[in-house]
Every structure is written in structure tokens, then in C-alpha cells.
Amino acid sequence: FNFIIVADCVLPKLYPIAPLVQAIDECLATKQDQQQEEEEEEVIPMAIVSYEHRYYPEYDPRTKFQELAVQRNLQVEKVPMEEMDPVYSVQDIELWIVTRQ
């Protein structure tokens, strides 16, 4: 896959975060393996994750996602608010770009 869109899936009360990070990792790895075999133009596969901050008493889901991503050699970058659409962006929803390091 060149792009993976993940929306409203970081919900630790309902779903553990680790399988989500694992799935993103596997999808990004698959695309990179295909690219090397096909010798196409270099396209950096990425996941675009929409995260709405919700309080979770056991841990901060943002921090947990980042920790799990780093363990799998994934880089998570937060898209700055000024780069988002001013009409559709809100303070409690973040966009993350996830790529392989």
C-alpha cells in the first residue's frame, strides 16, 4: 500500500493499541518489499492516522502509540495545525504521519 488511512481506531477502552501498530508495520513493510522487488520510483509508503484525544486513566494513548511504533522502527510525526484545513480541524483531533525509519 502507498497510503493507509486510519481513523478513530486508537481507542484503548475498546481495542488494544499494539495490534493496530503491528498491522500498520506489516502493511508498510509489505509495500517496501514489493517496491524493492519491482524497482519502481521511490514512493514512501505511509499511514495517515487521525487521533481524537480521549481521557484514558491507565496511560496516555498518544504516548503508548509512539512507544510501540518506535519498537517497530516506525516514525510518527504530528501534522501541525497550521497545515490542516482551518474549517475542519479542531484542537482535540491530531493527524499523524507514520513511516518506516
Side-chain angles (χ1 to χ4, degrees), residues 80-93 95:
M81 285 291 291
E82 54 271 4
E83 291 183 21
M84 293 187 221
D85 187 291
V87 174
Y88 297 106
S89 59
V90 292
Q91 292 295 325
D92 63 339
I93 297 178
L95 290 179

Side-chain angles (χ1 to χ4, degrees), residues 27-90:
C27 288
L28 294 178
T30 301
K31 180 58 182 173
Q32 284 188 331
D33 294 343
Q34 289 172 355
Q35 279 184 311
Q36 289 172 359
E37 291 172 8
E38 298 170 6
E39 297 183 18
E40 297 177 1
E41 288 183 30
E42 186 173 336
V43 174
I44 299 172
M46 68 177 65
I48 302 169
V49 180
S50 170
Y51 168 73
E52 181 175 356
H53 180 66
R54 295 178 178 95
Y55 173 74
Y56 188 63
E58 296 179 30
Y59 55 83
D60 180 1
R62 289 175 287 207
T63 304
K64 184 71 169 177
F65 187 94
Q66 290 260 358
E67 290 170 355
L68 293 168
V70 166
Q71 291 173 8
R72 293 184 165 272
N73 292 325
L74 297 174
Q75 179 177 338
V76 181
E77 293 182 34
K78 181 179 170 186
V79 176
M81 285 291 291
E82 54 271 4
E83 291 183 21
M84 293 187 221
D85 187 291
V87 174
Y88 297 106
S89 59
V90 292

